[in-house]
Amino acid sequence: MGKQVLVVIPVGERHKEYLENIGTGCKFTYTSPNAVTEEELANAQIIIGNVSAQQLAKAPKLEWFQLNSAGSDAFCKPGVLKEGVLLTNATGAYGLAISEHMLGVTLMMQKHLAEYYVNQKNHQWKDEGTVTSIYGSTTLVVGLGDIGGEYAKRMKALGSYTIGLRRTEGEKPDYLDEVFTTEHLDELLPRADFVALSLPNSPATYHIMDERRLRLMKKTAFLLNVGRGSAIDPEALNRVLHDGWLGGCGVDVTEPEPLPEDSPLWDAPRMYITPHISGQYHLQETFERIVRIAGGNLEKFLAGEKDSMKNLVDFKTGYRRR
C-alpha cells in the first residue's frame, strides 16, 4: 500500500497531477495548515508544506516532512520531530525572488527613491543630493546559500567586487572575488559598501550584527537583512541610525515579527522595512520551484534513495547537509 501524503500548500490541478504521477499508489490529501484536521495529521506519513510544530505533535506516523520554506530552525528544536523523521527544506526556491527584492531595495536606498516618492506625494520638487553606484563598490554577502549567492551574482553583474562569508571552507564560485569563513567578519565589514545578511536563526547568528559590528561598517555603507530578524540587534541598529551611521538599512525580517507598532525602528532615519514578503508565493516561479523540489524528493523517498534527497536538513545546525 502506498504512503499517505498530506499536502498543505495551495496546489492547482496540474500540480496535483504532477505529484500523483510521481506518487503512484499513494493516497494524497490536499488541505491548508489552517484547515487540516487531527485525523489527517494522524494518518500522514509524508507532509508537504509547513504545518506548525504543535500540529506535528499530532502526526505520529510521520516519516518525512518537506517544508515549503527555506528556514527550518523552528523544526530543528529537540522534541519537535521524532527521531528518524527526515526533514527537507525548500532551499533553491527563493533565491530568484528574494535576490531581486534585495537588488530593488539596494537601488532604492542608494538612489534615494523612497525619499523622492514621499516628495511626490507632498508635491515637492526637491533634490535629495548625491548618490552612489553599485559599479566600483564592494559587496559582502554573509550567508552563501541560494539567496545570498543569487544576490552576489546580481551585484557582480552590475560591477561590484563581491566577497562571500560562509560557515565552512569550500570552493570559490565564479560570482565571488573572495570567500572567507565567518571568523573573518570583523576584518571584512570595514571594506564593504553593501553588507547583505541571509542567515538562519541559530545561536551562532543571534545578534551577529551587534552595535560594535554595526560601527565597524563604513558610515556610508548599506545593510540588508532577508534571513532572520534575530541577526541584527534592533536596539543597537536604532542607536547607530540616529547617530548618523550607515547610508541605509533595508530589512524584510525583524525582531520580533511582526514588528510592534511602537517599535522605534519604524521612524528611524534611513530605515526601510518590508513585512517579510520578499519570498512567500508573491512570485509564481517561487511556488513552481517548491513543487518541483517536493516532487523530486517524493520520487527519491519512494524509491528508497533517501540519502540523495535534496535539501536534507542537519538538525544540529539548521542548514542543509553537505
Side-chain angles (χ1 to χ4, degrees), residues 132-167:
T132 59
S133 177
I134 293 175
Y135 180 82
S137 69
T138 297
T139 299
L140 174 61
V141 177
V142 184
L144 283 178
D146 175 50
I147 295 166
E150 289 297 315
Y151 179 68
K153 289 176 186 177
R154 284 155 177 75
M155 295 297 279
K156 178 73 172 175
L158 291 171
S160 189
Y161 186 88
T162 52
I163 305 172
L165 209 65
R166 55 159 56 115
R167 289 180 307 121

Side-chain angles (χ1 to χ4, degrees), residues 5 7-24 26-31 48 287-288 291 295 298:
V5 184
V7 181
V8 298
I9 55 176
V11 288
E13 289 304 315
R14 62 185 177 85
H15 303 118
K16 292 178 183 179
E17 183 179 356
Y18 166 71
L19 293 172
E20 290 171 16
N21 282 340
I22 294 171
T24 304
C26 293
K27 181 181 178 182
F28 286 82
T29 301
Y30 301 97
T31 182
I48 297 175
F287 185 75
E288 300 298 331
V291 174
L298 180 62

Side-chain angles (χ1 to χ4, degrees), residues 46 63-64 86 297-304 306 309:
I46 297 169
E63 300 173 25
W64 163 44
L86 296 175
N297 278 342
L298 180 62
E299 185 174 14
K300 297 286 187 182
F301 183 86
L302 295 175
K306 298 175 184 178
M309 291 170 69

Side-chain angles (χ1 to χ4, degrees), residues 185-186 189 208-217:
L185 178 59
D186 286 4
L189 286 171
I208 191 171
M209 293 302 293
D210 56 13
E211 185 162 353
R212 181 185 67 83
R213 284 198 170 120
L214 289 168
R215 293 188 187 276
L216 284 177
M217 293 175 61

Side-chain angles (χ1 to χ4, degrees), residues 45-60:
Q45 295 167 286
I46 297 169
I47 299 178
I48 297 175
N50 291 27
V51 294
S52 69
Q54 293 75 19
Q55 289 171 308
L56 285 176
K58 300 172 183 177

